[in-house]
Amino acid sequence: MRLLVLILGITITGAHGADPSKILRITFQAAETGFDPVKVSDYYSGTVIEAIFDPLLTYAYLARPAKLVPNTAAALPQITDNGRTYRVTVKPGIHFADDPVFKGHKRELTALDYAYSFRRFLEPKNRSPYAFLFEGIAGIETPDRFTLLIRLKQPDFNFSHVLAFSLSGAVAREAIEHYGDESAAKPVGSGPFRLKSYTRSSKIVLEANPGYREVMRNGERLPRIGGVEISIMEETQSRWLAFQRGDTDIEYQLAEVAPTFITADGRLKPEFAKRGIQLERTVDPEIIYLYFNMQDKTVGGLAKEKIALRRAIAMAYKVEDQIRIIRKGQSIRAQYPIPPGVAGHDPEYRSSIAHDPRAANALLDRFGYRKGADGYRRLPDGGPLVIRYSSTPSERDRQFDELMKRSLDSIGVRLEIHKERFPELIKLENQCRLMMRGAAWIADYPDGDNFMQLLYGPNSGQSNNACYRSAEYDRRYEKSRLLPHGPERDRLYREMTRIMETDTVWLLTDSRFRNVLLQPRVKGFKKHPVLHAEWLYIDLE
């Protein structure tokens, strides 16, 4: 059977095209947390998982706006029962990468693998940070080997995006059961790459999966490259020097040194263009924000004096300095919890939380946070007031620490900096054990629901890192989930945003420009708004 996906230029035919001499070299600015799809929530682990595992659906690489297309499914889902039932057929003849657990046999991918993979998100022992995506499933059936029938508790016409989410790729039951807790370091998928070697928090090496199905683009079989080498480099200067030396092929996490290679109007400087270096510049579909732990005894809760403390801290923080000094102008101010380019974004909305240290000081005075002889404020009951802000031990985060210190000093609030590596912060965050931290969320799928769920009460300990519970917010969110994208849902989103701002759960800060630098030998790269591992489509000269 021959399948043609016109918008991708893909056909199923041809000979293996991965060249083992072509190794793409990239960096991550933070360490991974592992490669078991149900147990991660960070961008870096998710990017590797996207390259190893196969979701049923994916996105057309070149289509803008993002467009869903079949991946391992034979076609897009059949949606019936007013959005409550999804029927998907898995294409026969797709196999998991060879692994000792299969004892020398080719292991075919079936509908049973997706049913098993989805159910794993809901197993309490896995404590999945993405369980919320699957909690609307009432039942999963496999009428035959290649048919998957998903019945939802309520109508959800956006559930197809969940089927395209990178973490919803199929795992093999026997691999998970055999490797157990080591599954995070022993991923076995059916995607274009497989894990070759792995040194935690240091080096991740992928190789092209020799058993990957025949996928063609522009007459050539994918992937074209033989592997990907990922180095963990937390410091911007190290990543920049590595790219300058030609040690890496693609680099985008360089905001702090962006003026070195970008002109004021966002163009690549001539000296770099002459070397054949390429620049791809977009605004990420992301939001960056400061959050307060709403369960914390110092900053949490909905008592008026607690809201006043959070509001004062938010009003003291100078977002403009974050953009101008730390980002070097390489971001835009975020006003709304849904970023540009995502369904539900409101370009006219303006946050009600303005930078105003004078008003912030008056607010603290009003609610009894009096200054002591040392110039720092105390709690209304006279106890010590200390804000514990968590960040990573990197040079980049040191700049955020300093900005937070200046901001809190302007209102007489004492700051304590808590340092941990990124994977450890994620663990503490999911346990609602951090007081305050900066966070980022990039689109898993291009719909506002993916962002508004970040404040939904039942998602505490998963994606709701503020551990926020508001009956008013939750009621509106639950109603919004039953609606398609449109004016009625947009109205609910605006109301939910005002509720969040009134309670001052977050301070939205910015969305970053993604200035992707490419060495001259990199061909075929185009930043996708949802996909993160574009390695399948890249070639190297």
Side-chain angles (χ1 to χ4, degrees):
M1 184 182 209
R2 185 180 171 115
L3 175 69
L4 176 65
V5 184
L6 292 175
I7 197 154
L8 278 174
I10 292 177
T11 59
I12 306 303
T13 186
H16 195 274
D19 184 341
S21 70
K22 295 179 178 180
I23 304 299
L24 182 72
R25 302 156 303 169
I26 65 171
T27 67
F28 284 169
Q29 71 171 1
E32 77 299 333
T33 57
F35 310 123
D36 183 342
V38 305
K39 295 183 178 180
V40 307
S41 62
D42 64 288
Y43 169 86
Y44 308 100
S45 301
T47 300
V48 175
I49 286 170
E50 183 179 311
I52 293 175
F53 296 94
D54 261 326
L56 285 159
L57 308 179
T58 187
Y59 292 91
Y61 181 50
L62 298 178
R64 303 294 185 273
K67 179 181 176 63
L68 284 168
V69 293
N71 186 39
T72 59
L76 292 176
Q78 294 178 335
I79 306 172
T80 57
D81 192 22
N82 193 32
R84 287 185 175 88
T85 302
Y86 283 66
R87 179 185 291 269
V88 190
T89 300
V90 179
K91 287 184 286 192
I94 297 173
H95 295 89
F96 284 94
D98 291 341
D99 189 88
V101 75
F102 300 134
K103 300 178 181 179
H105 299 289
K106 287 288 185 183
R107 170 63 160 80
E108 191 171 23
L109 176 72
T110 71
L112 289 168
D113 296 311
Y114 286 102
Y116 171 71
S117 300
F118 295 170
R119 289 177 180 131
R120 289 188 71 229
F121 282 89
L122 300 175
E123 293 177 9
K125 68 177 182 180
N126 289 328
R127 301 184 63 182
S128 176
Y130 273 102
F132 67 90
L133 287 179
F134 300 89
E135 286 171 344
I137 295 178
I140 304 176
E141 302 170 26
T142 51
D144 58 57
R145 184 173 171 80
F146 296 105
T147 301
L148 186 70
L149 196 63
I150 302 170
R151 301 188 189 280
L152 304 179
K153 297 174 184 176
Q154 296 177 320
D156 185 353
F157 287 98
N158 287 315
F159 190 74
S160 290
H161 290 296
V162 175
L163 303 181
F165 181 36
S166 60
L167 300 186
S168 69
V171 301
R173 178 193 289 268
E174 54 267 54
I176 296 297
E177 292 179 349
H178 177 78
Y179 291 118
D181 291 340
E182 285 299 305
S183 295
K186 301 279 188 179
V188 182
S190 59
F193 296 91
R194 63 184 183 181
L195 188 64
K196 180 180 180 181
S197 63
Y198 175 35
T199 304
R200 293 179 190 275
S201 303
S202 178
K203 192 93 167 182
I204 305 163
V205 180
L206 306 178
E207 63 181 356
N209 173 10
Y212 186 58
R213 60 191 178 278
E214 294 180 337
V215 177
M216 303 292 289
R217 183 168 182 265
N218 296 330
E220 295 182 330
R221 185 168 175 181
L222 304 180
R224 300 297 299 162
I225 60 175
V228 185
E229 291 185 358
I230 305 165
S231 300
I232 312 303
M233 295 186 189
E234 295 181 341
E235 301 300 339
T236 300
Q237 193 64 27
S238 298
R239 294 192 302 275
W240 173 232
L241 291 175
F243 185 83
Q244 283 276 70
R245 292 192 302 265
D247 293 343
T248 56
D249 296 305
I250 300 177
E251 188 56 71
Y252 71 91
Q253 300 154 327
L254 298 172
E256 295 91 329
V257 297
T260 304
F261 58 86
I262 290 180
T263 62
D265 61 353
R267 298 177 182 273
L268 188 66
K269 287 187 175 180
E271 58 265 38
F272 295 98
K274 287 178 182 177
R275 289 164 50 187
I277 291 172
Q278 309 159 67
L279 171 67
E280 173 113 0
R281 182 174 167 88
T282 57
V283 177
D284 269 339
E286 69 169 1
I287 53 169
I288 299 171
Y289 57 98
L290 293 167
Y291 72 82
F292 298 95
N293 179 357
M294 296 295 285
Q295 294 183 14
D296 183 80
K297 64 180 182 180
T298 300
V299 300
L302 295 175
K304 289 183 179 180
E305 68 274 11
K306 301 294 188 180
I307 296 174
L309 175 60
R310 295 193 298 269
R311 176 60 67 106
I313 292 171
M315 293 167 69
Y317 190 82
K318 196 169 184 180
V319 177
E320 290 76 12
D321 280 358
Q322 176 170 315
I323 294 172
R324 180 177 58 86
I325 299 172
I326 301 178
R327 305 285 194 212
K328 300 295 188 290
Q330 299 305 305
S331 67
I332 60 173
R333 179 67 196 267
Q335 300 282 352
Y336 201 61
I338 303 171
V342 174
H345 173 68
D346 185 347
E348 304 301 320
Y349 188 94
R350 292 296 177 267
S351 172
S352 62
I353 303 175
H355 176 247
D356 192 342
R358 183 176 178 180
N361 274 293
L363 187 63
L364 291 174
D365 289 340
R366 177 183 173 189
F367 282 90
Y369 294 92
R370 305 299 180 190
K371 287 184 178 180
D374 59 0
Y376 286 105
R377 297 180 183 273
R378 303 185 72 81
L379 293 168
D381 64 5
L385 171 59
V386 180
I387 298 301
R388 194 167 190 249
Y389 172 74
S390 298
S391 65
T392 68
S394 65
E395 174 61 25
R396 178 183 64 92
D397 272 12
R398 187 182 64 78
Q399 297 179 71
F400 284 96
D401 299 343
E402 293 172 353
L403 177 55
M404 184 60 69
K405 179 71 165 59
R406 291 197 303 273
S407 300
L408 266 61
D409 279 349
S410 72
I411 56 173
V413 173
R414 191 182 300 277
L415 178 68
E416 175 185 298
I417 303 295
H418 163 229
K419 290 292 186 182
E420 284 283 3
R421 296 290 305 280
F422 181 74
E424 295 305 314
L425 288 177
I426 295 296
K427 289 178 185 176
L428 293 169
E429 184 174 86
N430 289 339
Q431 296 167 10
C432 300
R433 291 173 57 190
L434 301 180
M435 181 186 289
M436 184 181 179
R437 178 175 175 253
W441 188 270
I442 192 166
D444 298 315
Y445 48 91
D447 187 82
D449 176 77
N450 188 230
F451 291 85
M452 301 310 287
Q453 59 82 21
L454 294 171
L455 290 157
Y456 180 50
N459 291 350
S460 296
Q462 300 179 43
S463 57
N464 180 351
N465 46 24
C467 303
Y468 174 55
R469 291 183 178 271
S470 161
E472 289 298 306
Y473 186 98
D474 291 354
R475 180 172 59 82
R476 287 170 172 81
Y477 175 73
E478 288 163 359
K479 186 175 181 181
S480 75
R481 293 222 62 189
L482 304 178
L483 298 171
H485 170 50
E488 187 177 357
R489 194 180 72 161
D490 288 346
R491 177 183 59 79
L492 289 171
Y493 283 172
R494 285 190 292 271
E495 291 176 3
M496 291 154 65
T497 301
R498 287 301 185 201
I499 291 169
M500 177 270 288
E501 286 180 358
T502 299
D503 291 341
T504 318
V505 185
W506 288 356
L507 172 65
L508 280 164
T509 58
D510 55 347
S511 299
R512 291 166 290 189
F513 283 104
R514 182 175 292 242
N515 298 305
V516 183
L517 289 177
L518 307 146
Q519 297 287 5
R521 74 183 193 130
V522 179
K523 304 300 177 186
F525 176 90
K526 186 173 180 60
K527 185 71 197 83
H528 192 273
V530 181
L531 299 175
H532 304 307
E534 292 96 346
W535 314 324
L536 173 62
Y537 306 100
I538 291 174
D539 199 359
L540 299 173
E541 285 189 345

